[in-house]
Amino acid sequence: MNGPKNENVYRDIFEQSPIGLMIFDRQGKIIEANDSSLRFLRASREKIIGLSYSSLKDTTVSSLIGKGLKGEASDYEGPYNTTVSGLLLQVRIRVNPLFDISGVFGVTLIFEDLTERKKTEEKLAVTLSDIRVAQEALEEHEVKFKTLFESAGEAIFLMDDRIFLECNPKTEEMFGCKRADIIGASPVDFSPEIQPDGVQSSQRAFQKIQAAFAGKPQTFDWLHCRKDRTNFDAEVTLTSVTLNGKALLQAIVRDISGRKRAEEEIRKLNEDLEQKVVLRTEELKATNTYLENTNRDLLLALEELKSTQAQLVQSEKMAVLGQLIAGIAHEVNTPLGAIISSNEGIQSVFRQDWEKLLCEFADLDTQERETWKKIFTKGSIFPDFYDSSEERKNRKIIRETLQNLGFPSSEFLSENLAELGIRVEDIPDLVKGIHKEKFPTLVSNAYNLSGILRYSNVVREAASKAARVIRTLKTYVYQDHAGISLIDIREQMDLVLTLYYNKVKQGVEIRRNFADNSLVRGQADQLTQVWANLINNAFQAISYQGRLDLESYIKDTYLIVSVTDNGPGVPKEIQDRIFEPFFTTKEKGEGSGLGLDICRKIVERHQGKIDFESSPGKTTFRVYLPLAEKTLI
């Protein structure tokens, strides 16, 4: 060693290091602690020295030290409860066993206080390499401090204001050269002529060295180069130390090439995301324009249908056509309401602080984005059907699971997760590795952004249904039986329930019990009208607060489909008239009186029949349709 050579050199390095350093003997008691460690822990030397690792308040750290006494090195980054001061710190810890010819004779504990850094770090999670410093010996002997210096995981230099006086073995590895190539050289010899910001390396190095000698520790990014002149990014910490009365600098160099590559990748991903958001925003604007035009066309169509209905009284044929037009007008209201409601849902996302939603997403780290992606994907799926009872049970189980996992105020969080289709068995995987205080924000962000796709899917289905209803008018008028196909009643029920999702999710319990074979042959558009009309009547009967039972079962050669509600029932005095054209018990403008009449005609055309039973608290409509094995003529 060309520089200072005695045990005091390593003692000074140990004491003046900005990193917290401790030494435990083979019994696990603290025998050495530098000033940085005492400052981090807010404790005096008298209360630290002699403390056993088994007495530490934080069981995670004490277990790591126990492993170290068994010869196992380990790392830890996270919260740490101090034993003496009772503080909760964010730390990075490295435990290294110390060996001699007899085996493990002690443990070194190296740690950094990350509490303030954690509060101020921004979007990028800076991964710092652990400082692996080994130190041997139990007392103030040169070997223990030399081991600490030479076993560090980062390059460490001792230098004066011009040249390097000493370096550790990691320096040779990092710079691709021998110790002899480094001692006597200056920092500029291992740097390109110009730094990335355009400043000459010699000028910038001089500024940093002088500032460090003035008592201001320096931590900064630097572009170094190896002996073969290949560049690499590094983080440099300069600290003034005094060795044998002489002021020197201790330089710690960390290779951060991996971090820089990660930052560049994140920057590219953010740019790509911003471009996709811009494109998606334009698509949504175009969709909104399309929906507005469609809504206007549908309203015009409704006005035309109502005008035509008034003229059909002039003749028998026109009367029949008037029934159909009025029925179509009645059925178009349902998808029109779904389109308007969904359009409002999409616009509500943009009326919120959507830039905040994007910023929240950009602030997520890699693991958080994977979790966000799983939740977003679940929430974007168009639900096959809606079952409010099942959702309430799922929401309760999720809320209890979150409470057991230590999430405070989990009511709103459990509602979002349940509505996104998350099951309780998904929770452990979603919360794994995610900070509890950040998980609600992550779920809320995914919920709001995925809502755009959910509402868009409802609009697509509703607009398609409206178009099919209009086409049904022509089919019915000309008695056109084209389009007969195999129909699964369960799928049609699911479609209708989905279109009513927003109206019934808070107050209606839906119970479904369908036969495994629920297939019939017929015209899907017309049968969908039947189910939509019966279910809509049931919802209105219970004022969207109550229970709805949907069931199918086989009797002889028929599939019987029943729709049951627990509303007030149909008064006996009008039960004989409910299938009459133009008869309605609804307020003016709410119904044409043709809904059940059209349902009966559609069912009869499918060689089936419809009947009902009603009493206070229970009304059941039954539709009898031939099973698929029976050919429709």
Side-chain angles (χ1 to χ4, degrees):
M1 178 175 180
N2 296 335
K5 285 185 177 180
N6 55 53
E7 62 185 55
N8 290 331
V9 173
Y10 298 104
R11 161 58 74 179
D12 290 338
I13 294 174
F14 178 82
E15 291 295 349
Q16 299 183 41
S17 172
I19 302 168
L21 303 172
M22 283 187 180
I23 300 175
F24 292 75
D25 62 15
R26 67 177 71 249
Q27 284 76 37
K29 293 183 178 181
I30 300 174
I31 60 173
E32 289 293 344
N34 69 353
D35 291 341
S36 293
S37 65
L38 298 177
R39 185 172 60 257
F40 292 160
L41 298 176
R42 281 73 162 178
S44 64
R45 188 179 302 275
E46 291 75 15
K47 291 188 178 182
I48 291 295
I49 301 302
L51 189 64
S52 173
Y53 81 96
S54 61
S55 300
L56 296 181
K57 183 177 180 180
D58 195 297
T59 57
T60 299
V61 175
S62 64
S63 66
L64 294 180
I65 297 172
K67 292 180 181 178
L69 292 172
K70 295 178 181 179
E72 181 180 346
S74 54
D75 298 279
Y76 170 72
E77 181 175 328
Y80 172 63
N81 289 292
T82 63
T83 301
V84 177
S85 58
L87 298 176
L88 177 62
L89 304 176
Q90 292 291 331
V91 299
R92 179 186 292 120
I93 291 177
R94 171 72 179 180
V95 176
N96 280 334
L98 298 174
F99 298 93
D100 59 12
I101 58 176
S102 64
V104 178
F105 68 85
V107 171
T108 60
L109 179 67
I110 307 112
F111 63 91
E112 293 180 82
D113 186 352
L114 303 180
T115 304
E116 292 302 321
R117 183 181 302 178
K118 288 292 184 180
K119 292 179 180 178
T120 57
E121 67 181 7
E122 300 179 347
K123 296 180 182 178
L124 302 177
V126 180
T127 305
L128 300 176
S129 302
D130 295 327
I131 301 177
R132 298 185 298 270
V133 181
Q135 181 175 358
E136 64 182 37
L138 300 177
E139 299 178 351
E140 295 182 5
H141 191 275
E142 180 181 2
V143 176
K144 65 182 179 182
F145 302 112
K146 184 176 181 180
T147 302
L148 181 65
F149 178 74
E150 293 182 348
S151 64
E154 278 77 25
I156 301 178
F157 297 94
L158 285 178
M159 60 179 293
D160 58 18
D161 59 349
R162 295 182 302 105
I163 62 174
F164 297 124
L165 303 177
E166 186 56 275
C167 67
N168 67 345
K170 184 65 177 181
T171 306
E172 300 175 295
E173 176 188 340
M174 187 177 294
F175 286 86
C177 60
K178 300 296 183 181
R179 178 176 177 277
D181 298 322
I182 297 174
I183 304 304
S186 72
V188 178
D189 295 331
F190 289 92
S191 305
E193 182 178 354
I194 304 295
Q195 286 296 304
D197 59 1
V199 178
Q200 289 189 344
S201 295
S202 58
Q203 178 182 350
R204 180 57 55 81
F206 177 79
Q207 295 171 349
K208 295 296 183 181
I209 290 171
Q210 293 304 309
F213 271 120
K216 299 177 181 178
Q218 302 289 304
T219 298
F220 53 92
D221 289 351
W222 189 263
L223 186 62
H224 266 303
C225 62
R226 303 177 180 87
K227 183 179 180 180
D228 60 6
R229 308 312 295 174
T230 58
N231 296 336
F232 68 95
D233 291 297
E235 182 183 76
V236 179
T237 298
L238 294 179
T239 306
S240 176
V241 298
T242 302
L243 301 180
N244 296 330
K246 184 178 179 179
L248 299 176
L249 288 184
Q250 175 184 266
I252 300 176
V253 180
R254 303 174 181 87
D255 187 340
I256 60 171
S257 302
R259 190 187 81 187
K260 289 291 186 180
R261 287 192 295 270
E263 290 174 351
E264 179 62 20
E265 182 65 21
I266 291 175
R267 185 188 64 79
K268 291 180 179 178
L269 289 174
N270 284 338
E271 290 180 354
D272 182 57
L273 177 62
E274 290 173 359
Q275 292 177 356
K276 289 181 179 179
V277 168
V278 171
L279 292 176
R280 186 57 181 159
T281 300
E282 293 301 322
E283 291 175 359
L284 290 173
K285 289 181 179 178
T287 301
N288 285 337
T289 300
Y290 169 76
L291 291 175
E292 290 172 358
N293 292 336
T294 301
N295 289 342
R296 184 172 57 254
D297 293 342
L298 289 174
L299 290 173
L300 291 174
L302 282 173
E303 292 300 322
E304 293 175 0
L305 290 173
K306 291 177 180 178
S307 175
T308 303
Q309 181 179 346
Q311 301 173 13
L312 295 179
V313 182
Q314 303 302 321
S315 67
E316 182 69 20
K317 180 178 179 179
M318 294 300 289
V320 174
L321 184 59
Q323 296 176 26
L324 292 176
I325 292 176
I328 293 298
H330 175 80
E331 298 302 331
V332 166
N333 277 328
T334 299
L336 179 61
I339 290 173
I340 295 174
S341 176
S342 298
N343 185 47
E344 177 63 22
I346 293 174
Q347 292 182 355
S348 70
V349 175
F350 289 96
R351 284 197 294 268
Q352 298 176 11
D353 190 0
W354 63 272
E355 293 181 344
K356 178 183 177 183
L357 296 177
L358 300 181
C359 291
E360 287 176 350
F361 176 81
D363 195 40
L364 301 178
D365 60 28
T366 302
Q367 184 172 1
E368 291 168 345
R369 289 192 181 190
E370 286 299 320
T371 300
W372 181 95
K373 183 178 179 181
K374 294 176 184 178
I375 297 174
F376 180 88
T377 301
K378 281 268 190 179
S380 303
I381 297 174
F382 187 58
D384 293 332
F385 69 92
Y386 175 78
D387 191 327
S388 59
S389 175
E390 182 179 347
E391 181 181 318
R392 284 194 294 270
K393 294 178 182 177
N394 187 43
R395 182 166 61 242
K396 179 180 178 182
I397 297 174
I398 290 175
R399 181 173 63 254
E400 294 173 349
T401 302
L402 291 174
Q403 290 175 346
N404 293 335
L405 292 174
F407 284 87
S409 302
S410 57
E411 180 67 28
F412 182 75
L413 179 59
S414 63
E415 289 183 2
N416 281 350
L417 290 171
E419 191 164 343
L420 286 167
I422 301 298
R423 313 299 300 178
V424 68
E425 54 267 25
D426 300 329
I427 298 299
D429 181 56
L430 294 178
V431 303
K432 183 178 181 181
I434 306 299
H435 290 297
K436 292 180 180 178
E437 62 273 13
K438 199 166 185 180
F439 187 67
T441 301
L442 184 150
V443 172
S444 177
N445 183 279
Y447 174 83
N448 284 315
L449 291 178
S450 64
I452 297 174
L453 286 179
R454 291 197 304 275
Y455 287 127
S456 296
N457 284 329
V458 172
V459 168
R460 181 191 65 216
E461 292 295 326
S464 176
K465 181 179 182 297
R468 291 197 302 268
V469 170
I470 297 299
R471 290 197 302 269
T472 302
L473 175 62
K474 178 181 177 182
T475 302
Y476 188 82
V477 169
Y478 292 98
Q479 300 295 301
D480 185 3
H481 289 275
I484 296 176
S485 61
L486 195 64
I487 300 169
D488 191 334
I489 299 301
R490 296 170 297 184
E491 294 179 359
Q492 291 199 319
M493 289 291 190
D494 290 346
L495 175 61
V496 174
L497 290 176
T498 300
L499 295 177
Y500 283 95
Y501 178 77
N502 284 327
K503 283 193 173 184
V504 303
K505 65 179 181 179
Q506 297 296 336
V508 179
E509 178 185 359
I510 300 174
R511 302 192 302 194
R512 304 170 1 125
N513 184 23
F514 295 118
D516 291 337
N517 179 12
S518 294
L519 299 177
V520 298
R521 288 187 179 276
Q523 294 179 272
D525 291 346
Q526 293 188 9
L527 289 180
T528 299
Q529 278 186 261
V530 174
W531 315 133
N533 189 281
L534 294 179
I535 291 174
N536 181 61
N537 287 346
F539 285 153
Q540 291 180 345
I542 60 177
S543 300
Y544 300 98
Q545 297 287 329
R547 188 177 69 247
L548 177 68
D549 293 325
L550 304 176
E551 185 180 12
S552 71
Y553 56 95
I554 297 174
K555 183 177 181 180
D556 298 328
T557 58
Y558 284 88
L559 178 70
I560 302 175
V561 183
S562 67
V563 178
T564 303
D565 66 74
N566 64 342
V570 180
K572 288 186 177 181
E573 57 268 25
I574 65 170
Q575 289 186 6
D576 294 336
R577 301 187 59 195
I578 64 172
F579 288 103
E580 291 180 8
F582 301 106
F583 178 79
T584 180
T585 60
K586 300 175 183 178
E587 297 292 334
K588 183 177 181 180
E590 291 185 1
S592 63
L594 294 173
L596 289 177
D597 176 54
I598 291 176
C599 287
R600 182 178 62 180
K601 286 183 170 63
I602 291 175
V603 172
E604 290 174 350
R605 287 188 54 208
H606 285 74
Q607 297 185 356
K609 66 177 182 177
I610 181 172
D611 62 18
F612 77 102
E613 292 180 355
S614 182
S615 61
K618 183 178 181 181
T619 298
T620 300
F621 279 82
R622 288 182 296 268
V623 175
Y624 300 75
L625 293 171
L627 283 170
E629 289 76 8
K630 186 175 181 178
T631 305
L632 180 66
I633 300 175

